[in-house]
Amino acid sequence: MEVATVFLPLLGAIIAGLFGRFVGDRGASIVTCVLLTVSGAISWFLLFDITVGGNPRTIELFTWIDVDAFEFSWALKMDQLTAVMLVVVTTISAVVHWYSIGYMHGDPGIPRFFAYLSLFTFFMLMLVSADNLVQLFFGWEGVGLCSYFLIGFWYDRPSANAAAIKAFLVNRIGDFGFALGIFAVFVLFGTVSLDTIFDAAEAKAQAQLVFLGVEFHAITIICLLLFMGAMGKSAQLGLHTWLPDAMEGPTPVSALIHAATMVTAGVFMVCRLSPLFEQSEVALAVVTVVGALTAFVTATIGLTQNDIKRVIAYSTCSQLGYMFFAAGVSAYSAAMFHLFTHGFFKALLFLGSGCVIHAMSDEQDMRKMGGIWKMVPITYALMWIGSLSLAGIGIPGVAGFAGFYSKDVILESAWAANTGVGGFAFWLGILAALMTAFYSWRLLFMTFHGETRADEKTFAHVHEAPKIMWVPLLVLAAGAVVAGALGYNAFVGEGLDAFWGESIFVAKGHTALADAHSAPYWVKALPMVMGVGGIGLAYWMYMARPDVPALWAERLRPLYLLSYNKWWFDELYERMFVRPAFYLGYGFWVSGDGALIDGIGPDGIAAVTRRIANRASWLQSGYLYHYAFAMLIGVVVLVTWYMATGSGG
Amino acid sequence: MAGAMPLLSITTFTPLVGVLAILLFARGTPEEVARNSRWGALWTSIFTFAISILIWANFDTKTAEFQFTEKVDWIPAFKISYHMGVDGISMFFVLLTTLLTPVCVLASWRAIEGRVKEYMISFLVLETMLVGMFCALDLITFYIFFEGVLIPMFLIIGVWGGPRKVYAAFKFFLFTLLGSVLMLLAILTMYFQVGTTDIPTLMEANFPRGLQIWMWLAFFASFAVKVPMWPVHTWLPDAHVEAPTAGSVMLAGVLLKMGGYGFLRFSLPMMPLASEFFTPFVFALSIVAVIYTSLVALAQTDMKKLIAYSSVAHMGFVTCGIFVANQEAVAGAIIQMLSHGVVSAALFLIVGVVYDRIHSRDIATYGGLVHRMPVYATVFMLFMLASVGLPGTSGFVGEILVLVGTFKISTWVAALMATGMILGAAYMLYLYRRVIFGELTKEELKEILDLSPREIAVFAPLIVVVLWMGIYPMPFLDAIEVSVANLVGEYSTALAAADGAHFTLAGQR
């Protein structure tokens, strides 16, 4: 059954991908959708069996690599953490599959699209069910590959190809750290199997490891290297630049991969490796700071973007930042909780924006939208639900949307951590909450309200999405509303220990999450105040006084440019890495290989010999002559030596 | 039954029997001669492959001893014998050769129109030389096969090559000649020292440290050119560019492995002290190979040159892994060689497919091929990913084993080598994008045809091997493991003994 959950999507991918020509568009999409739905149903069953039933297990398939101690198998580790991820991945994937039937209607590459989606799901499931670091890496690279495929799905567009390569390469930079982290784990623990590592983590807490000539606290350097991988995959500050560009892919892809599942793999990894991270205060502090900075910086960028999907993409970066600083203050289950609710409301927002784009004849620029809310009432309502959940609207102690529960508990934990970095994360998180609400309603107002800025033809065309698209969204909308209230107790409340079992480890002194519940009322209320404030500000700027944004952009020009140009990360990297790489490559080729090696080596010698020998005959007699000559020398030497020894003996 | 047969000699010389048959029976009109030669070569090479499978089937994975040994006195006065045998290190190289030869024959089916008979004969002779070289357990036999490989290869480049074939062959010759002469000197030195050319006996011999250094350098000169290691790699891009597709396949697939194999068979076991002494030097060259040639590959505009440079980078992992000399790294180096043998061979075939159609290797000629050639695009993607070392393909298994082994002894080397992960992805994805993706705008590409059934048959076995080695490499690792463990064990024992000698000397003083 566990095997079925993981491998049914692979089966679907194979059928749609290799036999797409025979089963046709319709066949390919139906097969993958049905298989994914079955896989999703099994996942929910497994969730209850494993968490409520308290029945974690590992299913070993067969040995993958075994050289000396470097030994591990293909295996499916089914514990509480995996079960939660299984449910998130398969549920959202199933919804996205069904939705895509409508969204991709008429595209020439339908079987390929569904094959990629299902293949992605398979890799994601292999990732979350890995029982060793190398299989985790397999899933990790596999989802990256599918992300590359799907970002570049419309391969005629140069921008899509560029974005796909960028995503793959930036992720590879993170994976470079991940791989070194795996090697360091192997050197320290002598194994890459998770359970063995976790058992030994405490014993190795004081160990030292020399890395690049410097002696480090072993587990700290391991965690930092592995976290580098997480930063790449989860688009954290520094390695985040690929995610907004990834919006070149079809919108269902953005929902599934670049919002709900793949980008959360980094968060999952940190939670999965909690027994390691718990042994290193430094690594946790780094995770917290990086998460908090990401939450803040990417939120500032989101304020001024005009592409509807890019706004949501930056919001994703920002929300991932929240999850990381939750993990950084040891509130892993809060991070997982937010991952869970975020999966629903962010997928909802993306798919909702997909409905908008669909309605607007593939327009993504919000400056060319507006005034359409009456024409797409269902989409409009769904986008409101998603935004309310994202902004974390709710009344503390009473009720609220899903995001309210998970985001509040994260901020409270950061506050309750009672450390410098915790406070830093808390305040940046509060500011980010304000900006989140602001850009979400900016998006709603610009897209749906006011006078329309679309051209007449597009505007006349605006229509509600077909049923196959909005019905699946009801599942996500339901999640975005109730997932927080229903999950609160089990994920982060009283039932936390029973729910997570041994899958998450928190060291004794790390009580941020437990203390979060007793945070003062102002801490609990502040995110809510910020959220409402952000909405109010957005209303004032985009509904009441539409002249204000331009005015402010003028007055705060440096800040506006900083945000609008995304803090110039792309330009910086282009100058620092991309251009020098090509420049160096060309230089090595022409000067190194050409002038230096060949010039002094073969060409130089050739020139000299040409001067000595008769040029024409030398070249015409050809290489065989030379070769024969070499053999001749060999024979002469042999014969000489034979005669020498012969006479001697 | 199979154990009693001289399987290695049969595998080695069956291609020569095929050559004889072609010479005798390929007669008639030029078309008939060409057809008969093609079929003759194909069946011979398939039959040879079938026999070589028997070697693996009967291979005992529990022993590090040489298996299927045959020993016949050849020149008794010099104690030179015809001695054949394989262990876990060499066995798969024999299979790699016998797998790639029929692939080459099939790939040349339509591409070669002139002198087909001679062409096919060259490939069969090449196969004999390569298999013999990997099986030889006598230095002189080894040397004859080792050098003999070059004759058919020269002919393949020189006769069926591109416009600058003379320059390419000349360059190859200059690089190789130097190495070969020095290696012959080292071989003679060994003989003078020990009085035999028997490889297993020589492995037991303890040469003095000073002599080891000189012999190591002499062997290194030959092997480093073959690998090729930076900075003696510049013959490779030229040779590849000029060689016909199948020539590139054998060159990248098997000939480059002669260097790595040589290090494993000679340098480490016979000259352990020198190997240890030169390890930092090899590491430095390997790191340069990975970073420098990856960057150069990024700047290429010729598809074959790009893949040739990527070969140099991938072989950098091999040389690094071999001289790390622990079990993970050496096993990884062997897997990496096998993987590279299949993957680079496939990549050259992939270039060959479009070259046969458009007659251009220039990347700028192409673009948007996916519109007309979806199957081709898929196959290319798979091998591109294997080249990049994506988990689940053979490239990953080799790379991760080498890197994990390297990390154990030097984090610096491992970290610098691992940058190859990023750079490798950069130049391959960039190549793929320029050739396959984008709109199909060029007129001459609008009628291009997708893979034919024959071409699919060429790629099918390679696809199977790449995925098999990536997902379930245990059958390979099992066969390799004991021999590698033995090699590494002997190596560290030799080093420890030398250290011990120093220690006792010091103690006596």
Side-chain angles (χ1 to χ4, degrees):
Chain A
M1 196 160 62
E2 295 83 357
V3 176
T5 328
V6 176
F7 285 91
L8 282 179
L10 179 64
L11 179 69
I14 291 172
I15 293 174
L18 297 184
F19 306 103
R21 252 183 261 179
F22 308 108
V23 295
D25 288 1
R26 211 179 158 70
S29 43
I30 298 290
V31 164
T32 48
C33 287
V34 168
L35 287 174
L36 229 293
T37 311
V38 173
S39 168
I42 302 174
S43 300
W44 279 97
F45 174 81
L46 286 173
L47 175 70
F48 286 102
D49 184 41
I50 290 167
T51 56
V52 180
N55 189 15
R57 51 192 178 260
T58 299
I59 292 116
E60 204 159 298
L61 301 176
F62 57 88
T63 308
W64 184 7
I65 292 179
D66 177 3
V67 176
D68 207 7
F70 195 61
E71 190 239 314
F72 42 87
S73 297
W74 295 104
L76 304 177
K77 181 184 174 74
M78 292 287 159
D79 69 351
Q80 291 84 347
L81 202 55
T82 307
V84 170
M85 289 303 286
L86 282 184
V87 165
V88 173
V89 173
T90 54
T91 308
I92 295 175
S93 180
V95 168
V96 168
H97 270 77
W98 286 108
Y99 174 93
S100 301
I101 294 180
Y103 190 84
M104 298 304 287
H105 182 77
D107 193 279
I110 287 177
R112 191 165 57 95
F113 182 79
F114 282 92
Y116 290 161
L117 273 192
S118 285
L119 187 66
F120 165 79
T121 312
F122 162 72
F123 279 124
M124 193 70 205
L125 296 176
M126 287 299 274
L127 189 162
V128 299
S129 60
D131 90 321
N132 63 70
L133 284 171
V134 184
Q135 187 185 329
L136 186 67
F137 192 69
F138 166 81
W140 194 266
E141 291 264 286
V143 291
L145 171 71
C146 293
S147 156
Y148 160 80
F149 284 151
L150 284 163
I151 296 169
F153 180 75
W154 287 313
Y155 44 64
D156 281 352
R157 299 181 186 172
S159 56
N161 287 323
I165 292 184
K166 184 173 175 183
F168 197 93
L169 290 184
V170 174
N171 270 295
R172 271 260 155 159
I173 294 170
D175 294 353
F176 163 78
F178 191 171
L180 291 178
I182 295 177
F183 306 148
V185 164
F186 180 66
V187 168
L188 183 66
F189 293 97
T191 175
V192 289
S193 151
L194 293 176
D195 290 336
T196 326
I197 296 168
F198 295 164
D199 289 344
E202 210 153 359
K204 299 274 187 188
Q206 304 305 324
Q208 304 285 312
L209 187 81
V210 178
F211 181 71
L212 301 186
V214 184
E215 191 165 357
F216 287 98
H217 176 237
I219 291 186
T220 300
I221 190 68
I222 285 172
C223 289
L224 291 179
L225 285 169
L226 294 172
F227 181 60
M228 194 172 155
M231 283 176 68
K233 192 107 306 179
S234 294
Q236 292 299 287
L237 200 62
L239 296 178
H240 68 283
T241 57
W242 66 271
L243 184 60
D245 287 16
M247 297 303 129
E248 287 290 338
T251 306
V253 173
S254 313
L256 175 62
I257 300 186
H258 306 119
T261 55
M262 183 184 85
V263 289
T264 61
V267 179
F268 166 78
M269 187 234 262
V270 173
C271 294
R272 168 60 90 204
L273 299 176
S274 56
L276 280 185
F277 279 86
E278 282 297 290
Q279 303 298 339
S280 167
E281 296 294 334
V282 178
L284 284 176
V286 170
V287 173
T288 314
V289 170
V290 169
L293 282 175
T294 308
F296 177 77
V297 171
T298 52
T300 65
I301 300 174
L303 295 176
T304 57
Q305 300 304 309
N306 290 319
D307 183 310
I308 185 168
K309 283 176 73 183
R310 280 185 188 243
V311 175
I312 309 179
Y314 279 107
S315 135
T316 305
C317 283
S318 177
Q319 297 303 310
L320 290 166
Y322 278 94
M323 296 178 210
F324 274 112
F325 74 68
V329 297
S330 298
Y332 302 100
S333 39
M336 287 302 294
F337 187 34
H338 198 51
L339 188 161
F340 181 74
T341 59
H342 175 260
F344 287 101
F345 63 72
K346 192 51 70 65
L348 176 64
L349 280 172
F350 262 122
L351 295 180
S353 75
C355 294
V356 171
I357 295 166
H358 185 81
M360 299 298 295
S361 315
D362 294 333
E363 181 58 63
Q364 301 195 10
D365 191 334
M366 294 191 296
R367 285 170 299 187
K368 295 181 185 157
M369 297 181 184
I372 58 167
W373 70 274
K374 279 185 188 151
M375 296 142 93
V376 287
I378 301 172
T379 307
Y380 180 61
L382 291 170
M383 289 295 277
W384 261 87
I385 294 174
S387 300
L388 285 168
S389 196
L390 168 64
I393 300 301
I395 301 160
V398 186
F401 288 89
F404 159 75
Y405 290 96
S406 53
K407 189 189 277 187
D408 268 25
V409 77
I410 285 178
L411 288 167
E412 287 157 19
S413 301
W415 186 84
N418 210 10
T419 56
V421 288
F424 176 73
F426 174 72
W427 286 109
L428 284 187
I430 290 290
L431 288 175
L434 173 71
M435 291 186 279
T436 306
F438 175 79
Y439 62 63
S440 299
W441 265 265
R442 173 177 176 266
L443 184 152
L444 285 177
F445 294 141
M446 280 181 83
T447 307
F448 294 105
H449 292 272
E451 287 291 309
T452 188
R453 295 170 299 278
D455 59 56
E456 270 179 40
K457 193 165 156 252
T458 314
F459 190 71
H461 245 269
V462 173
H463 56 284
E464 186 57 86
K467 242 186 193 163
I468 187 75
M469 284 169 71
W470 64 260
V471 170
L473 295 196
L474 297 181
V475 177
L476 298 178
V481 175
V482 302
L486 292 182
Y488 188 83
N489 191 40
F491 276 85
V492 292
E494 304 285 318
L496 162 133
D497 291 332
F499 182 77
W500 292 109
E502 291 179 349
S503 61
I504 288 177
F505 171 82
V506 179
K508 280 228 167 59
H510 294 161
T511 53
L513 184 59
D515 298 346
H517 300 298
S518 49
Y521 193 78
W522 69 267
V523 171
K524 296 190 174 187
L526 195 54
M528 169 69 192
V529 173
M530 287 294 167
V532 175
I535 297 172
L537 189 63
Y539 181 82
W540 182 65
M541 283 176 72
Y542 289 90
M543 295 292 286
R545 293 279 307 278
D547 56 316
V548 168
L551 205 66
W552 281 25
E554 203 50 48
R555 278 200 197 144
L556 304 172
R557 188 143 188 88
L559 283 180
Y560 173 76
L561 285 180
L562 183 69
S563 164
Y564 187 73
N565 291 305
K566 304 163 256 177
W567 295 49
W568 288 286
F569 272 102
D570 283 327
E571 288 76 4
L572 185 73
Y573 288 168
E574 170 84 20
R575 294 227 174 116
M576 270 172 68
F577 304 113
V578 182
R579 273 190 238 166
F582 278 94
Y583 182 78
L584 270 178
Y586 190 76
F588 280 151
W589 180 34
V590 174
S591 333
D593 271 24
L596 210 63
I597 298 174
D598 281 356
I600 296 171
D603 294 354
I605 294 171
V608 172
T609 42
R610 242 179 252 132
R611 247 172 276 145
I612 297 166
N614 180 328
R615 189 170 160 180
S617 71
W618 180 262
L619 277 177
Q620 273 167 17
S621 64
Y623 40 85
L624 270 178
Y625 160 73
H626 301 136
Y627 190 73
F629 187 69
M631 293 292 273
L632 202 65
I633 294 176
V635 172
V636 169
V637 172
L638 269 172
V639 170
T640 317
W641 163 79
Y642 168 65
M643 285 164 70
T645 46
S647 59
Chain B
M1 181 203 77
M5 284 196 299
L7 268 182
L8 297 181
S9 290
I10 295 176
T11 313
T12 308
F13 294 107
T14 304
L16 285 191
V17 176
V19 168
L20 206 64
I22 290 175
L23 284 175
L24 286 177
F25 299 115
R27 291 174 190 280
T29 64
E31 288 78 37
E32 283 171 4
V33 172
R35 198 186 61 216
N36 290 343
S37 311
R38 286 186 185 118
W39 283 106
L42 183 64
W43 283 114
T44 308
S45 54
I46 289 176
F47 183 64
T48 313
F49 179 60
I51 299 170
S52 66
I53 290 289
L54 287 180
I55 301 176
W56 190 6
N58 290 290
F59 189 82
D60 181 2
T61 58
K62 304 250 171 356
T63 172
E65 297 292 311
F66 286 103
Q67 305 182 31
F68 309 99
T69 48
E70 304 159 28
K71 196 168 183 180
V72 182
D73 282 344
W74 187 13
I75 316 177
F78 309 130
K79 294 182 188 146
I80 295 172
S81 55
Y82 171 79
H83 190 178
M84 303 284 261
V86 288
D87 63 355
I89 293 169
S90 54
M91 194 253 295
F92 286 113
F93 292 112
V94 175
L95 272 106
L96 181 65
T97 313
T98 55
L99 171 70
L100 287 182
T101 306
V103 166
C104 280
V105 171
L106 208 53
S108 312
W109 210 255
R110 293 264 162 271
I112 300 296
E113 294 292 348
R115 306 190 193 197
V116 177
K117 185 166 99 177
E118 290 79 1
Y119 181 85
M120 293 300 168
I121 289 174
S122 300
F123 270 90
L124 292 178
V125 171
L126 183 64
E127 184 176 19
T128 290
M129 294 300 171
L130 285 167
V131 173
M133 194 265 306
F134 287 123
C135 294
L137 288 184
D138 179 275
L139 269 180
I140 298 299
T141 326
F142 172 82
Y143 187 75
I144 290 170
F145 282 125
F146 189 86
E147 298 296 303
V149 165
L150 302 177
I151 299 173
M153 199 64 223
F154 275 136
L155 289 173
I156 289 166
I157 299 178
V159 179
W160 293 274
R164 290 176 79 228
K165 57 194 177 188
V166 174
Y167 174 76
F170 184 48
K171 200 167 178 178
F172 185 20
F173 170 76
L174 263 171
F175 275 108
T176 319
L177 175 73
L178 180 74
S180 298
V181 170
L182 291 174
M183 185 169 82
L184 185 62
L185 287 177
I187 287 175
L188 291 175
T189 315
M190 282 184 164
Y191 182 84
F192 284 127
Q193 282 284 319
V194 186
T196 177
T197 53
D198 191 49
I199 291 175
T201 317
L202 286 166
M203 282 177 170
E204 306 294 319
N206 286 317
F207 295 102
R209 189 164 187 275
L211 187 64
Q212 280 192 26
I213 302 269
W214 287 109
M215 288 183 350
W216 191 92
L217 282 173
F219 274 103
F220 180 77
S222 181
F223 297 148
V225 170
K226 284 282 170 357
V227 167
M229 293 176 75
W230 188 87
V232 286
H233 65 281
T234 58
W235 62 270
L236 185 74
D238 286 312
H240 271 309
V241 165
E242 299 309 323
T245 300
S248 289
V249 169
M250 286 314 268
L251 191 57
V254 192
L255 263 71
L256 300 194
K257 312 302 171 298
M258 292 162 69
Y261 173 71
F263 287 134
L264 287 170
R265 182 64 80 224
F266 299 97
S267 302
L268 283 194
M270 294 182 193
M271 297 152 265
L273 303 179
S275 294
E276 198 215 10
F277 178 76
F278 285 112
T279 295
F281 171 64
V282 175
F283 284 169
L285 292 187
S286 305
I287 291 167
V288 174
V290 169
I291 297 174
Y292 174 107
T293 48
S294 293
L295 288 171
V296 172
L298 204 54
Q300 295 307 308
T301 54
D302 181 309
M303 286 203 262
K304 269 190 150 183
K305 271 202 175 167
L306 195 153
I307 296 167
Y309 276 110
S310 87
S311 287
V312 181
H314 283 129
M315 293 307 284
F317 277 92
V318 172
T319 46
C320 173
I322 290 172
F323 282 89
V324 164
N326 56 31
Q327 269 203 52
E328 290 91 350
V330 174
I334 295 174
I335 293 283
Q336 174 81 352
M337 278 197 269
L338 298 173
S339 160
H340 177 263
V342 176
V343 172
S344 69
L347 287 172
F348 280 116
L349 288 169
I350 279 164
V351 177
V353 167
V354 287
Y355 185 78
D356 288 347
R357 289 161 170 70
I358 308 291
H359 299 288
S360 167
R361 294 181 313 264
D362 193 1
I363 295 170
T365 324
Y366 299 97
L369 287 183
V370 64
H371 291 272
R372 292 280 310 168
M373 309 176 76
V375 179
Y376 176 74
T378 312
V379 173
F380 192 173
M381 176 58 80
L382 181 84
F383 287 110
M384 180 195 86
L385 295 173
S387 168
V388 166
L390 203 87
T393 64
S394 55
F396 174 71
V397 179
E399 254 175 49
I400 195 172
L401 283 171
V402 168
L403 287 174
V404 83
T406 310
F407 196 93
K408 274 181 161 178
I409 67 161
S410 167
T411 51
W412 265 111
V413 177
L416 289 171
M417 297 294 288
T419 57
M421 277 175 53
I422 304 167
L423 295 170
Y427 62 72
M428 286 311 288
L429 292 182
Y430 187 47
L431 167 72
Y432 191 85
R433 171 191 167 183
R434 285 180 289 171
V435 174
I436 299 292
F437 288 148
E439 283 182 71
L440 188 79
T441 50
K442 302 196 173 69
E443 277 307 319
E444 59 274 24
L445 300 180
K446 292 217 163 130
E447 297 302 318
I448 198 167
L449 294 175
D450 207 347
L451 296 184
S452 67
R454 175 183 60 84
E455 286 166 328
I456 292 174
V458 167
F459 286 112
L462 305 180
I463 294 172
V464 170
V465 172
V466 162
L467 291 179
W468 180 15
M469 281 180 74
I471 295 167
Y472 188 56
M474 287 317 292
F476 298 89
L477 287 170
D478 277 339
I480 292 171
E481 190 173 16
V482 180
S483 294
V484 168
N486 180 56
L487 173 75
V488 171
E490 298 271 321
Y491 179 72
S492 45
T493 314
L495 296 187
D499 273 357
H502 279 296
F503 185 73
T504 35
L505 277 177
Q508 279 165 0
R509 275 180 212 143

